């Protein structure tokens, strides 16, 4: 199902489906909907607003923290209400009909539209036979409303309804998705468009474009294949790096060096997808656009594990916002978008032609496109597939000394606040320039200066992975082994993120915006998600002005579920009483410590082999045997204990 939203900058025009209900108190004409028979939950808005003193020395009007954002937003008193129905239905994106999870009968779900200062009231009705959840990605809201089951919001049990209610204290492009198992991959995601109280970029139309990836395979089986070192996905994408190609590209030394560190050959993406979608379609054409109209493209990467190159045939586009926050306008012909990032672009609809907007998977395995406007279709330029051999050679030649953080691992440092210099040691000079997020072009619209009397808490975090066993984490530890990063309220928290892996990672912090120290000094931009290329280091910092616990994780879904996650926890705060019992229990049983079972069988001319494996992140039980056609056989039972990525002990 295609969910395409076109609405004017100064008005809200929303066409709901039959399954969707929306009501509002004291709303503008054109947004009023019939009343909801389920009734409206009423809350004291003043109690929901977390009243904390805001430092007067900080003059920026940008959303540096939730208490700070509240200061600059005038409440409108309007209650904008939605009903979202989570249900299982049949879908068909590839010619094959399968059962998946939909929101209000579609994938993606409906676009939720608000104006800064409104009160959002969203009822989520779970019509599944299992629990679900909804996280409001990038939204500054009270901790209880964030939507992560067992951490700050109760799970939405089968057959029940949960009502979220929170004030809208920001504007921009955001999205929402499930934080339960692999429901996000299966279709539980949608977009959020928030109009500002003061319009900075008047346009004729707003257009929401939701990018996503799609697999017909059960996501649980996808992770099982990744855990068992199955190379089938690389074979499907023709990304297998064979010895003859390595020699042809003069990369033997680089691959030997890589093998010595127990790293498998570089692969941009772990999974071979069956389709890539924009607003739920592989290809589409939006003709409800007039020549000469200025259009705001709100582009959201809602994929589970795909980076996208976005291009437009009518280049250049004008980039005006990143992760919902305005930046100084900059012309661009291309943008690499990590999972969970959003970017807003301005374009002008051409005369007599329809220009293509294309989202190309970073690994070159496919794309989705939409043509904008009436007339002849004009395609955009194609993005070449990445040269994995060249990229591997570039990383092999890097000076790795800057990543030697062992002496600081796990330690946190406090100091008086000093201007932060950018820390961005990267190998981008060796990457194809297209495979570079290039945050250096982003510049805040206002200077951001944190108070000098605030202490700075600096925390180094290595992004690590045992790629052969598909276990991911920070500082060599998955979530089930170490689950919390303690921070102190009132300080500036600075994370130095060092990607020591051969994969790209989009890292997201819930409930906060952080400054990306990208060389722009006081004009460093605000974001909620940052992408790190292989072997790259980035530094981010944020105001610790909120409370309780917030997720911090890689937004590549299979990496997060395999351990690359932490809880950013305010010291001294306790979970809500009704959450305390299961607060840590659930987080300690993530998939990185879950038992996985698989088997392999080899049938040969002279002998046959069967292997059965049951393993988690520390242990493996292996039963194997050989047999020939004469009836002779050999049978083994082994136990392996993994001490690190490089050492294990076994008995059998």
């Amino acid at each position: 199902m295609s969910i395409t939203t076109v609405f004017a900058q100064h008005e809200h025009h929303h066409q709901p489906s039959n399954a969707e209900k929306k009501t509002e108190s004291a709303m503008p004409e054109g947004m009023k909907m019939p009343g909801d028979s389920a009734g409206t939950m009423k809350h004291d808005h003043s109690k929901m607003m977390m009243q904390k003193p805001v430092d007067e020395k900080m003059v920026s009007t940008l959303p540096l923290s939730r208490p700070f954002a509240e200061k600059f937003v005038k409440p409108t008193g309007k209650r904008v209400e939605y009903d979202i129905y989570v249900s299982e239905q049949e879908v068909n994106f590839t010619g094959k009909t399968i059962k998946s999870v939909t929101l209000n009968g579609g994938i993606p779900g409906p676009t939720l539209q608000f104006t800064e200062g409104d009160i959002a009231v969203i009822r989520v009705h779970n019509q599944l036979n299992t629990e679900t959840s909804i996280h409001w990605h990038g939204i500054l809201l009270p901790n209880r409303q964030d939507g992560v089951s067992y951490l700050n919001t109760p799970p939405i049990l089968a057959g029940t309804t949960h009502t979220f209610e929170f004030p809208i204290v920001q504007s921009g492009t955001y999205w929402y998705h499930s934080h339960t198992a692999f429901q996000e991959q299966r279709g539980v995601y949608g977009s959020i468009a928030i109009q500002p109280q003061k319009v900075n970029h008047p346009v004729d139309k707003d257009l929401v474009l939701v990018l996503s990836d799609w697999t017909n395979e059960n996501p649980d089986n996808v992770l099982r294949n990744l855990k068992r070192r199955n190379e089938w996905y690389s074979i499907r994408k023709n990304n297998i790096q064979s010895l003859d190609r390595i020699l042809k590209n003069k990369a033997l030394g680089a691959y030997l060096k890589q093998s010595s560190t127990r790293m498998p050959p570089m692969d941009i993406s772990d999974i071979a997808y069956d389709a890539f979608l924009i607003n739920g379609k592989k290809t589409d054409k939006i003709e409800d656009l007039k020549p000469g109209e200025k259009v705001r493209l709100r582009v959201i990467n809602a994929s589970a594990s795909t980076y996208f190159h976005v291009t437009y045939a009518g280049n250049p586009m004008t980039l005006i916002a990143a992760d919902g926050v305005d930046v100084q306008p900059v012309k661009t012909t291309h943008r690499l978008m990590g999972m969970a990032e959003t970017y807003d672009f301005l374009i002008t609809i051409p005369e007599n032609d329809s220009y293509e907007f294309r989202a190309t998977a970073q690994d070159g395995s496919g794309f989705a496109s939409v043509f904008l406007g009436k007339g002849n279709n004009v395609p955009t330029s194609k993005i070449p597939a990445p040269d994995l051999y060249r990229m591997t050679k570039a990383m092999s030649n890097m000076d790795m000394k800057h990543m030697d953080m062992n002496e600081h691992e796990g330690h946190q440092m406090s100091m008086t606040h000093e201007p932060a210099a950018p820390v961005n040691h990267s190998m981008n000079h060796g990457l194809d320039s297209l495979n570079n997020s290039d945050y250096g072009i982003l510049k805040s619209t206002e200077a951001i200066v944190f108070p000098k009397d605030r202490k700075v808490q600096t925390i180094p975090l290595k992004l690590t992975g045992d790629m052969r066993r598909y276990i991911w984490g920070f500082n060599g530890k998955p979530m089930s082994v170490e689950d919390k990063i303690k921070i102190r309220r009132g300080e500036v928290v600075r994370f130095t993120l060092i990607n020591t892996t051969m994969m790209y990672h989009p890292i997201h912090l819930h409930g906060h915006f952080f400054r990306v120290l990208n060389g722009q000094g006081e004009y460093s931009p605000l974001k909620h998600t940052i992408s790190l290329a292989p072997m790259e280091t980035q530094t981010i910092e944020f105001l610790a002005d909120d409370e309780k616990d917030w997720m911090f994780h890689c937004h590549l879904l299979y990496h997060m579920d395999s351990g690359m996650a932490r809880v950013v926890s305010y010291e001294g705060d306790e979970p809500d009483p009704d959450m305390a019992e299961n607060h840590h229990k659930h987080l300690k049983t993530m998939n990185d410590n879950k038992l996985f079972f698989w088997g392999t069988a080899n049938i040969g001319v002279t002998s046959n082999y069967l292997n059965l494996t049951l393993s988690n992140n520390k242990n493996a039980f292996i039963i194997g045997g050989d047999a020939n056609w004469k009836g002779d056989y050999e049978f083994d039972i082994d136990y392996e204990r993994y001490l690190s990525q490089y050492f294990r002990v076994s008995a059998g």
Side-chain angles (χ1 to χ4, degrees):
M1 174 175 289
S2 175
I3 307 292
T4 302
T5 303
V6 182
F7 53 97
Q9 179 74 30
H10 303 291
E11 298 180 290
H12 290 191
H13 295 291
H14 178 60
Q15 301 297 325
S17 64
N18 292 333
E20 182 184 352
K21 299 177 183 178
K22 175 186 172 185
T23 63
E24 180 178 351
S25 301
M27 292 184 63
E29 186 177 352
M31 294 202 48
K32 197 76 173 176
M33 296 269 312
D36 175 22
S37 60
T40 301
M41 293 186 67
K42 298 185 181 295
H43 295 272
D44 185 350
H45 174 56
S46 62
K47 291 181 180 179
M48 294 175 57
M49 302 285 281
M50 183 178 176
Q51 299 298 330
K52 290 187 177 181
V54 174
D55 198 307
E56 296 297 334
K57 299 176 184 177
M58 301 170 62
V59 296
S60 174
T61 62
L62 298 176
L64 305 181
S65 67
R66 182 166 62 91
F68 198 83
E70 291 170 356
K71 178 182 178 182
F72 293 98
V73 174
K74 181 181 179 180
T76 65
K78 298 175 184 175
R79 295 168 61 84
V80 182
E81 304 187 18
Y82 285 94
D83 286 84
I84 296 178
Y85 297 86
V86 187
S87 61
E88 189 175 64
Q89 296 187 30
E90 290 186 340
V91 298
N92 188 331
F93 295 115
T94 63
K96 179 179 180 180
T97 300
I98 65 170
K99 280 191 175 181
S100 196
V101 186
T102 63
L103 298 177
N104 291 6
I107 296 176
T111 298
L112 308 184
Q113 302 173 30
F114 304 98
T115 298
E116 211 174 15
D118 290 344
I119 301 172
V121 181
I122 308 166
R123 290 176 290 272
V124 180
H125 308 270
N126 184 5
Q127 298 177 334
L128 303 173
N129 58 10
T130 185
E131 68 182 58
T132 190
S133 62
I134 296 290
H135 163 59
W136 314 102
H137 187 105
I139 302 296
L140 299 173
L141 38 57
N143 180 267
R144 182 74 172 188
Q145 306 297 314
D146 192 52
V148 180
S149 297
Y150 302 99
L151 181 66
N152 44 37
T153 307
I156 307 172
L157 301 178
T160 67
T161 296
H162 183 89
T163 300
F164 292 89
E165 184 171 335
F166 49 86
I168 302 295
V169 298
Q170 65 203 101
S171 62
T173 302
Y174 305 96
W175 63 299
Y176 59 95
H177 59 85
S178 173
H179 233 282
T180 300
F182 295 111
Q183 290 177 3
E184 178 189 334
Q185 174 77 89
R186 297 187 65 199
V188 185
Y189 54 86
S191 54
I192 301 173
I194 306 174
Q195 300 293 338
Q197 292 182 342
K198 179 183 178 182
V199 177
N200 294 323
H201 299 283
V203 296
D204 300 301
K205 295 284 181 63
D206 264 18
L207 181 61
V208 177
L209 300 178
V210 181
L211 318 181
S212 58
D213 45 27
W214 178 260
T215 175
N216 290 328
E217 191 175 356
N218 186 320
D220 291 295
N221 291 335
V222 171
L223 183 58
R224 181 176 289 106
N225 280 334
L226 295 172
K227 288 282 187 180
R228 68 191 294 190
R229 301 179 295 278
N230 190 323
E231 293 186 322
W232 172 236
Y233 298 136
S234 294
I235 294 171
R236 279 182 57 187
K237 295 185 296 181
N238 195 29
N239 273 355
I240 289 292
Q241 293 156 62
S242 59
L243 181 59
D244 64 320
R245 293 180 184 177
I246 291 172
L247 294 173
K248 181 180 179 181
N249 284 273
K250 300 179 180 179
L252 181 60
Y255 278 83
L256 291 175
K257 183 176 181 180
Q258 183 175 294
S259 297
S260 69
T261 60
R262 301 293 177 90
M263 288 186 180
M266 183 180 185
D267 189 4
I268 295 290
S269 176
D270 296 323
I271 302 162
Y273 280 100
D274 295 298
F276 300 102
L277 310 172
I278 298 179
N279 292 343
K281 289 187 176 182
K282 292 190 288 186
T283 59
D284 197 9
K285 187 169 184 175
I286 299 175
E287 296 185 294
D288 187 21
L289 300 167
K290 298 177 182 179
E293 283 188 325
K294 183 183 289 186
V295 177
R296 182 183 191 129
L297 300 180
R298 298 177 181 267
V299 186
I300 302 165
N301 186 352
S303 65
S305 68
T306 301
Y307 275 73
F308 284 109
H309 297 286
V310 296
T311 53
Y312 177 58
N315 275 326
M317 302 179 288
T318 302
L319 193 160
I320 59 171
D323 287 355
V325 182
D326 283 355
V327 295
Q328 295 187 26
V330 58
K331 300 288 186 181
T332 181
T333 59
H334 158 270
R335 192 72 190 161
L336 177 64
M337 294 185 64
M339 290 73 83
E341 289 188 303
T342 74
Y343 287 104
D344 290 23
F345 303 96
L346 294 180
I347 64 168
T348 300
I349 300 302
E351 300 280 348
N352 305 320
D353 287 321
S354 180
Y355 284 171
E356 181 187 25
F357 180 92
R358 178 180 288 203
T360 304
Q362 188 191 20
D363 64 2
S365 61
F367 66 91
S369 75
V370 57
F371 287 86
L372 306 176
K374 299 178 181 179
N376 298 321
N377 290 349
V378 178
T380 186
S381 57
K382 294 183 179 180
I383 298 292
D387 187 336
L388 299 179
Y389 301 97
R390 178 170 174 259
M391 294 169 72
T392 300
K393 286 194 293 184
M395 285 181 284
S396 175
N397 293 330
M398 281 190 65
D399 179 1
M400 303 291 285
K401 291 181 180 179
H402 72 271
M403 295 194 310
D404 186 10
M405 303 286 290
N406 291 331
E407 58 182 309
H408 301 302
E409 276 190 16
H411 296 283
Q412 302 177 6
M413 297 163 277
S414 292
M415 62 194 80
T416 56
H417 186 72
E418 296 179 358
V423 180
N424 185 7
H425 306 289
S426 78
M427 41 74 70
N428 287 336
H429 60 278
L431 285 175
D432 186 312
S433 61
L434 292 175
N435 291 297
N436 181 350
S437 294
D438 191 16
Y439 291 121
I441 70 170
L442 302 180
K443 193 172 183 179
S444 171
T445 56
E446 302 176 24
I448 302 172
V449 181
F450 292 158
K452 295 185 181 297
D453 59 352
R454 292 205 184 192
K455 291 183 177 180
V456 177
Q457 184 182 9
T458 300
I459 303 173
L461 291 170
K462 278 187 177 180
L463 282 61
T464 53
D466 184 343
M467 288 168 273
R468 293 191 181 278
R469 293 190 298 127
Y470 211 78
I471 296 172
W472 303 90
F474 292 105
N475 294 339
K477 298 177 181 178
M479 177 80 160
S480 61
V481 176
E482 185 174 296
D483 64 345
K484 283 201 173 185
I485 299 172
K486 288 285 190 178
I487 65 173
R488 294 182 285 273
R489 185 178 294 105
E491 296 190 351
V492 174
V493 178
R494 185 177 298 162
F495 288 162
T496 301
L497 303 172
I498 310 108
N499 185 2
T500 68
T501 78
M502 303 288 280
M503 295 289 295
Y504 288 76
H505 300 282
I507 305 299
H508 170 53
L509 174 61
H510 285 217
H512 300 71
F513 280 101
F514 49 73
R515 298 175 71 223
V516 179
L517 304 186
N518 65 342
Q520 298 289 1
E522 294 178 355
Y523 289 86
S524 297
L526 291 177
K527 291 185 96 274
H528 55 58
T529 304
I530 184 170
S531 171
L532 282 93
M535 306 301 170
E536 183 179 29
T537 295
Q538 295 271 10
T539 298
I540 62 176
E541 62 180 14
F542 62 93
L543 291 176
D545 278 358
D546 217 290
E547 63 176 353
K548 300 184 179 179
D549 293 342
W550 304 86
M551 284 295 293
F552 176 74
H553 61 90
C554 178
H555 223 282
L556 199 162
L557 183 59
Y558 300 92
H559 288 183
M560 181 190 74
D561 239 39
S562 298
M564 191 172 278
R566 289 289 188 274
V567 173
V568 170
S569 180
Y570 281 80
E571 288 186 358
D573 290 356
E574 297 295 331
D576 292 337
D578 61 334
M579 298 292 297
E581 182 178 351
N582 292 319
H583 191 61
H584 299 294
K585 178 182 177 182
H586 178 74
L587 297 174
K588 288 287 188 180
T589 56
M590 292 184 65
N591 276 334
D592 75 270
N593 199 35
K594 178 182 175 182
L595 285 171
F596 286 83
F597 175 78
W598 66 83
T600 58
N602 297 322
I603 308 300
V605 175
T606 59
S607 63
N608 309 289
Y609 179 74
L610 175 67
N611 176 282
L612 302 175
T613 300
L614 181 68
S615 71
N616 61 9
N617 65 353
K618 287 293 184 182
N619 308 283
F621 295 91
I622 304 168
I623 300 176
D626 293 279
N628 61 25
W629 297 104
K630 296 179 181 180
D632 303 320
Y633 65 90
E634 185 178 79
F635 186 72
D636 299 302
I637 300 178
D638 294 289
Y639 166 73
E640 295 181 348
R641 174 73 176 183
Y642 295 91
L643 305 179
S644 72
Q645 182 177 350
Y646 305 100
F647 300 100
R648 70 174 182 242
V649 295
S650 61

